[in-house]
Coordinates of all heavy atoms in Angstrom, one line a residue:
R30 N 30.4 -49.1 -140.1 CA 30.3 -49.7 -141.4 C 31.7 -49.8 -142.1 O 32.0 -50.8 -142.7 CB 29.3 -49.0 -142.3 CG 27.9 -49.1 -141.8 CD 26.9 -48.7 -142.9 NE 27.0 -47.4 -143.3 CZ 26.4 -46.3 -142.7 NH1 25.7 -46.5 -141.6 NH2 26.5 -45.1 -143.2
L202 N 8.4 -42.6 -135.6 CA 9.6 -43.2 -136.2 C 9.2 -44.4 -137.1 O 9.8 -44.7 -138.1 CB 10.5 -43.7 -135.1 CG 11.1 -42.6 -134.2 CD1 11.9 -43.2 -133.0 CD2 12.0 -41.7 -135.0
K205 N 8.1 -43.2 -140.3 CA 9.2 -42.8 -141.1 C 9.9 -44.0 -141.7 O 10.3 -43.9 -142.9 CB 10.2 -42.0 -140.2 CG 11.4 -41.4 -140.9 CD 12.3 -40.6 -139.9 CE 13.5 -40.0 -140.7 NZ 14.4 -39.2 -139.8
A217 N 20.8 -48.7 -144.3 CA 21.9 -48.0 -143.7 C 21.6 -46.5 -143.7 O 21.9 -45.8 -142.7 CB 23.2 -48.3 -144.3
A218 N 21.1 -46.0 -144.8 CA 20.8 -44.6 -144.9 C 19.7 -44.2 -144.0 O 19.7 -43.1 -143.4 CB 20.5 -44.2 -146.4
F219 N 18.7 -45.1 -143.9 CA 17.6 -44.8 -142.9 C 18.2 -44.8 -141.5 O 17.8 -43.9 -140.7 CB 16.5 -45.8 -143.0 CG 15.5 -45.7 -142.0 CD1 14.6 -44.7 -142.0 CD2 15.4 -46.7 -141.0 CE1 13.6 -44.5 -141.0 CE2 14.4 -46.5 -140.0 CZ 13.5 -45.5 -140.0
A220 N 19.1 -45.7 -141.1 CA 19.6 -45.7 -139.8 C 20.4 -44.4 -139.5 O 20.3 -43.9 -138.4 CB 20.6 -46.9 -139.7
D221 N 21.1 -43.9 -140.5 CA 21.8 -42.7 -140.3 C 20.9 -41.5 -140.1 O 21.2 -40.5 -139.4 CB 22.7 -42.4 -141.6 CG 23.9 -43.3 -141.7 OD1 24.2 -44.0 -140.7 OD2 24.5 -43.3 -142.8
S222 N 19.7 -41.6 -140.7 CA 18.7 -40.5 -140.5 C 18.2 -40.4 -139.1 O 17.6 -39.4 -138.7 CB 17.6 -40.6 -141.5 OG 16.7 -41.6 -141.1
L223 N 18.3 -41.4 -138.3 CA 17.8 -41.5 -137.0 C 18.7 -41.0 -135.9 O 18.3 -40.7 -134.8 CB 17.4 -42.9 -136.6 CG 16.3 -43.5 -137.5 CD1 16.0 -44.9 -137.0 CD2 15.0 -42.7 -137.5
G224 N 20.0 -40.8 -136.2 CA 21.0 -40.4 -135.2 C 22.4 -40.5 -135.7 O 22.6 -40.3 -136.9
P225 N 23.4 -40.7 -134.8 CA 24.8 -40.7 -135.2 C 25.0 -41.8 -136.3 O 24.4 -42.8 -136.4 CB 25.5 -41.2 -133.9 CG 24.5 -40.7 -132.8 CD 23.2 -40.9 -133.4
T226 N 26.0 -41.5 -137.2 CA 26.2 -42.3 -138.4 C 27.2 -43.5 -138.1 O 27.6 -44.1 -139.0 CB 26.8 -41.5 -139.5 OG1 28.0 -40.8 -139.1 CG2 25.7 -40.4 -139.9
G227 N 27.5 -43.7 -136.8 CA 28.4 -44.8 -136.5 C 27.7 -46.2 -136.5 O 28.4 -47.2 -136.3
G228 N 26.4 -46.2 -136.8 CA 25.7 -47.5 -136.9 C 24.5 -47.5 -135.9 O 24.2 -46.5 -135.3
I229 N 23.9 -48.6 -135.8 CA 22.7 -48.8 -135.0 C 23.2 -48.7 -133.5 O 24.1 -49.4 -133.1 CB 22.0 -50.1 -135.2 CG1 21.6 -50.2 -136.7 CG2 20.8 -50.2 -134.4 CD1 21.1 -51.5 -137.1
S230 N 22.5 -47.9 -132.7 CA 22.9 -47.7 -131.3 C 22.1 -48.8 -130.5 O 21.3 -49.5 -131.0 CB 22.5 -46.3 -130.8 OG 21.1 -46.2 -130.7
Y232 N 20.0 -48.0 -128.3 CA 18.7 -47.3 -127.9 C 17.5 -48.0 -128.6 O 17.5 -48.1 -129.9 CB 18.8 -45.9 -128.2 CG 17.6 -45.0 -127.9 CD1 16.8 -45.2 -126.8 CD2 17.2 -44.0 -128.8 CE1 15.7 -44.4 -126.5 CE2 16.1 -43.2 -128.5 CZ 15.4 -43.4 -127.4 OH 14.3 -42.6 -127.2
Y234 N 14.6 -47.0 -129.5 CA 14.0 -46.2 -130.5 C 14.8 -46.0 -131.7 O 14.4 -45.4 -132.7 CB 13.5 -44.9 -129.9 CG 12.2 -44.9 -129.2 CD1 11.6 -46.1 -128.7 CD2 11.5 -43.7 -129.0 CE1 10.4 -46.1 -128.1 CE2 10.3 -43.7 -128.3 CZ 9.7 -44.9 -127.9 OH 8.5 -44.9 -127.2
H235 N 16.0 -46.5 -131.7 CA 16.9 -46.5 -132.9 C 16.9 -47.9 -133.5 O 16.7 -48.1 -134.7 CB 18.3 -46.1 -132.5 CG 19.2 -45.8 -133.7 ND1 20.5 -45.6 -133.6 CD2 18.9 -45.6 -135.0 CE1 21.0 -45.3 -134.8 NE2 20.0 -45.3 -135.7
V239 N 14.8 -49.4 -137.3 CA 15.7 -49.9 -138.3 C 15.3 -51.3 -138.7 O 15.2 -51.7 -139.9 CB 17.2 -49.9 -137.9 CG1 18.1 -50.6 -138.9 CG2 17.6 -48.4 -137.8

Side-chain angles (χ1 to χ4, degrees):
R30 292 198 296 276
L202 295 173
K205 186 175 181 180
F219 173 70
D221 288 348
S222 74
L223 299 181
T226 58
I229 303 169
S230 73
Y232 176 41
Y234 275 20
H235 195 191
V239 171

